[in-house]
Amino acid sequence: MRQLLQIRGLRKQYGKHMAVDGVDLNVNRGEIVVIMGPSGCGKSTMIRCINRLTEPDAGEILLDGKSILNLDDQALREFRRTVGFVFQQFNLIARLSVLDNVMFHLVMAGIPRVQAEARARNALARVGLAGSEHKNPGSLSGGEQQRVGIARALASNPQLMLWDEPTASLDPILIGEVLDVMEELVQTTNTTSIIVTHEVGFALKVADRIILMDKGKIVEEGSPKAIFADPKSEVGRKYRRLIAS
Ligand SMILES: Nc1ncnc2c1ncn2[C@@H]1O[C@H](COP(=O)(O)OP(=O)(O)OP(=O)(O)O)[C@@H](O)[C@H]1O
Ligand SMILES: [Mg+2]
């Protein structure tokens, strides 16, 4: 099947506020989808629903044609292993070494330590952190910490990677180093990625498709060229003005 992910009529409400208000989205295998839109429009809520960090109120999410919304605990744990998530705030465990942070969920998943360690070392090398295995996360720069976060997501060989504003907590000098690693990874692996970011230049270079959201809904989608050359939505026109300035 060409489509890896199918989302139908997804809704999530907080109190009276519709954070995600009827989203339909299909993502093909190997596709790089970038999601953009103003703060509060529901981007995080949407991608967090995809690995059940947030429970949707309504709708359907199919991965590989199978619903991910009615899984028992064991099946949910197995499913989560196939989806990598990169958080804005890194979410590293301060008392564990870099290597242990990357290995931790592999070991928890029952992978023998020797294998888990080999996979973790390999993932760290892919994000340019070979040699930092025994450091403490607190001794690393923000950019390096986020690369550990990326290695942790990669180490489980996910079929889908979800990235929630991975550079938004970094200062401008460090943003570039993380975007370079992301660009290299998404272009050299065939992992499907959904990336929430405000980095327009990165989106232009890397995205197969850009999705624009506003007020909980998808308001426009298309190739980066089409979206930024001739935007149809108000949000799209705002991004175009950003590029022009
Ligand atoms: N746990 C929560 N409890 C209550 N309201 C929430 C919760 N999470 C999100 N919201 C609200 O839902 C809406 C969508 O939030 P969300 O975090 O998905 O937006 P976003 O597009 O990711 O924004 P940003 O670009 O600032 O990260 C916002 O109005 C937010 O305040
Ligand atoms: Mg967000």
Side-chain angles (χ1 to χ4, degrees):
M1 191 168 45
R2 189 160 167 246
Q3 276 166 3
L4 177 65
L5 180 71
Q6 297 166 287
I7 300 177
R8 298 272 167 277
L10 190 71
R11 280 179 215 286
K12 178 68 184 181
Q13 193 164 351
Y14 291 111
K16 289 201 172 125
H17 181 74
M18 273 289 185
V20 174
D21 190 5
V23 162
D24 298 314
L25 176 66
N26 291 332
V27 178
N28 289 330
R29 270 170 223 289
E31 195 178 13
I32 311 300
V33 173
V34 167
I35 299 182
M36 308 181 86
S39 183
C41 74
K43 306 178 298 295
S44 295
T45 306
M46 208 271 273
I47 71 162
R48 290 171 66 89
C49 285
I50 300 173
N51 75 341
R52 304 262 311 267
L53 284 172
T54 294
E55 288 297 332
D57 295 326
E60 187 53 281
I61 302 177
L62 306 176
L63 193 80
D64 249 339
K66 289 189 237 39
S67 173
I68 61 143
L69 297 182
N70 325 306
L71 304 173
D72 62 26
D73 286 357
Q74 171 71 16
L76 180 60
R77 278 196 297 274
E78 276 165 27
F79 156 73
R80 286 228 175 97
R81 254 175 255 146
T82 71
V83 180
F85 200 99
V86 181
F87 298 87
Q88 178 176 337
Q89 303 291 350
F90 326 141
N91 286 15
L92 302 177
I93 303 171
R95 64 185 165 76
L96 296 182
S97 70
V98 163
L99 183 67
D100 284 335
N101 264 280
V102 179
M103 284 174 64
F104 182 70
H105 65 299
L106 300 177
V107 174
M108 292 302 284
I111 294 171
R113 279 196 81 83
V114 176
Q115 268 179 42
E117 181 171 335
R119 272 163 71 168
R121 285 182 182 277
N122 182 270
L124 283 164
R126 286 173 70 195
V127 299
L129 286 176
S132 296
E133 289 83 357
H134 296 293
K135 290 184 184 161
N136 186 285
S139 71
L140 302 178
S141 72
E144 289 166 333
Q145 289 184 50
Q146 186 57 300
R147 286 190 278 141
V148 176
I150 295 169
R152 177 182 54 193
L154 286 175
S156 55
N157 298 328
Q159 56 176 333
L160 175 64
M161 286 276 286
L162 305 172
W163 313 70
D164 192 5
E165 297 201 41
T167 60
S169 306
L170 302 174
D171 70 52
I173 295 167
L174 299 177
I175 289 176
E177 101 185 24
V178 172
L179 290 179
D180 286 348
V181 165
M182 290 173 64
E183 186 180 336
E184 158 90 14
L185 285 173
V186 296
Q187 285 174 346
T188 58
T189 60
N190 52 7
T191 309
T192 314
S193 267
I194 303 178
I195 307 172
V196 176
T197 182
H198 293 289
E199 298 292 331
V200 177
F202 172 82
L204 269 169
K205 246 196 286 182
V206 168
D208 294 315
R209 182 158 50 121
I210 293 180
I211 307 277
L212 299 182
M213 287 184 69
D214 195 14
K215 300 189 183 78
K217 295 181 195 294
I218 292 177
V219 291
E220 186 160 2
E221 62 178 292
S223 70
K225 268 195 194 140
I227 292 244
F228 292 129
D230 185 21
K232 308 283 185 247
S233 63
E234 188 49 40
V235 175
R237 285 192 284 273
K238 282 186 186 151
Y239 278 110
R240 187 174 61 177
R241 283 199 287 277
L242 208 67
I243 297 172
S245 64

